Amino acid sequence: MIEKFAVQLYTLRHEVEQDLFSVLKDLKKMGWRGVQISALPPKYDPAEVAHTLKELNLKAAGMHIPIHRMENDIKNVLSETNLYETKDIVCPYLAEDLRTTEGYLHVKQLLNSIAETHPNLRVSYHNHDFEFHTKINGQSALEYILDPVEQNKVLAEIDVYWVKKVGRDPLQFIQTYKNRMPIIHLKDMTTDEEETYAALGTGSIDVKPIIEWGEKSGIEWYVVEQDECPGDPFDSLQISYNYIQRLIGS
C-alpha cells in the first residue's frame, strides 16, 4: 500500500528552486513512490522532469494547475498531463478576488467545462479554509463547488488540515465524497495554540481512520504536504514516512 503515498512538491519548494532533480532522487531514496507536481520553476523542462520521474520510477500523483493556466493555457496543461502520465489536474488555490459568490460560480463553471470538454481528465478542487467563509445556496463555497451530484464533474481533493482548522471533523467531512476523490491531502496539525502544520503522527489529526475510509472509497493517492516545516523539510517528510510505514505495516 505504500505505493499510494506521494509528496506534494510545494513542501520542498525552496529545495526544488535550487535542484529539482536532486530532490526527486532524495525522495525516491527515502521510499516515496510518487510526487504531486506543483509550481515548478520555468527553468525546468517538463519533458526532462518527466524523463527523470520515469528513470526513478516515481509516479505523478496529479498536477496542481493555477486557475489562470486552466483558463488560458489548457493546451500546454494537456501536453504536460501526457508527459507526466497522469489524468488528474487540480485547482490548488484562489486569489482573494475570486473568493466571492461570483468568483466561486465562475470557478465551478470553468472546471466543469474543462471536465466535459476533456472526458479523459479528472478535474479536482483543493481546499483551504477560506472557502468555508462564503455561503452559497446555504452551504459553504467548498461544498457548493464539490456538490456530489451527477451533473457536477468537479472532484474533491480535500486537505484534512484545513477542514480541521475551521472546526470541522475531517473524517466526517469526507464521507460525502466517496468515489469522488481520487487524491486526498494528508497533513497534521500541532497540538499547541498555534495549530500550525505538523509531520504526520505528531499532531491532533488521526489519519488512520481517514486512510481506512479511503481504501474503501476510491482514493488512489494519499499526498503528504507540510506547508511550513520547523527545520529541514526532508526531516519532516522522513517523520511522516516513518509514521505511514508503522500505520500500514509495511
Side-chain angles (χ1 to χ4, degrees):
M1 187 185 162
I2 195 70
E3 70 275 2
K4 299 177 74 169
F5 288 84
V7 170
Q8 168 43 267
L9 286 178
Y10 182 78
T11 307
L12 298 158
R13 59 198 176 278
H14 304 303
E15 291 74 16
V16 164
E17 180 67 48
Q18 298 302 312
D19 188 345
L20 168 64
F21 303 107
S22 176
V23 165
L24 295 176
K25 289 172 185 172
D26 288 345
L27 289 174
K28 176 65 177 181
K29 192 183 299 182
M30 195 183 294
W32 297 96
R33 305 301 172 87
V35 294
Q36 189 170 57
I37 309 294
S38 176
L40 296 184
K43 65 181 178 179
Y44 295 117
D45 177 4
E48 191 178 358
V49 176
H51 177 72
T52 302
L53 288 175
K54 193 164 285 190
E55 273 193 332
L56 294 170
N57 195 24
L58 278 172
K59 305 294 185 186
M63 301 169 60
H64 273 197
I65 304 294
I67 196 75
H68 68 86
R69 286 201 67 203
M70 290 200 183
E71 204 156 18
N72 305 309
D73 193 30
I74 193 65
K75 183 178 178 182
N76 286 321
V77 170
L78 292 170
S79 172
E80 289 167 28
T81 63
N82 290 329
L83 282 172
Y84 295 127
E85 297 181 358
T86 181
K87 57 184 177 181
D88 289 295
I89 62 171
V90 185
C91 175
Y93 184 77
L94 296 179
E96 283 194 35
D97 62 332
L98 283 173
R99 300 177 198 175
T100 63
T101 298
E102 295 75 18
Y104 289 120
L105 290 171
H106 170 70
V107 169
K108 183 176 182 179
Q109 183 180 38
L110 172 66
L111 299 183
N112 268 292
S113 173
I114 293 170
E116 287 164 6
T117 309
H118 306 283
N120 56 317
L121 287 183
R122 294 189 298 202
V123 183
S124 301
Y125 183 89
H126 168 80
N127 68 288
H128 290 77
D129 56 348
F130 55 78
E131 298 93 346
F132 289 94
H133 303 318
T134 300
K135 296 293 183 185
I136 302 174
N137 299 337
Q139 55 187 170
S140 72
L142 179 61
E143 289 159 300
Y144 167 76
I145 290 174
L146 300 180
D147 191 12
V149 293
E150 188 177 352
Q151 61 267 33
N152 183 26
K153 306 300 182 188
V154 185
L155 303 177
E157 185 187 79
I158 298 299
D159 184 309
V160 298
Y161 170 90
W162 292 113
V163 173
K164 173 89 168 176
K165 191 74 169 176
V166 296
R168 305 282 290 269
D169 175 67
L171 180 60
Q172 185 177 27
F173 187 80
I174 61 177
Q175 304 297 316
T176 305
Y177 308 110
K178 182 180 177 70
N179 298 321
R180 289 183 66 97
M181 182 161 52
I183 306 170
I184 191 171
H185 268 211
L186 299 182
K187 185 186 301 178
D188 212 341
M189 176 186 287
T190 59
T191 55
D192 56 16
E193 288 183 5
E194 198 174 352
E195 294 188 331
T196 190
Y197 319 105
L200 296 186
T202 67
S204 62
I205 298 177
D206 185 3
V207 300
K208 185 172 187 286
I210 292 172
I211 294 170
E212 289 171 348
W213 176 87
E215 287 305 284
K216 304 170 191 169
S217 306
I219 289 182
E220 297 172 19
W221 282 108
Y222 301 91
V223 174
V224 176
E225 181 181 39
Q226 192 170 339
D227 303 47
E228 301 289 344
C229 302
D232 186 336
F234 277 105
D235 292 340
S236 293
L237 287 172
Q238 185 71 66
I239 292 168
S240 290
Y241 185 81
N242 292 346
Y243 176 73
I244 291 164
Q245 282 194 305
R246 292 195 303 272
L247 206 58
I248 66 176
S250 64

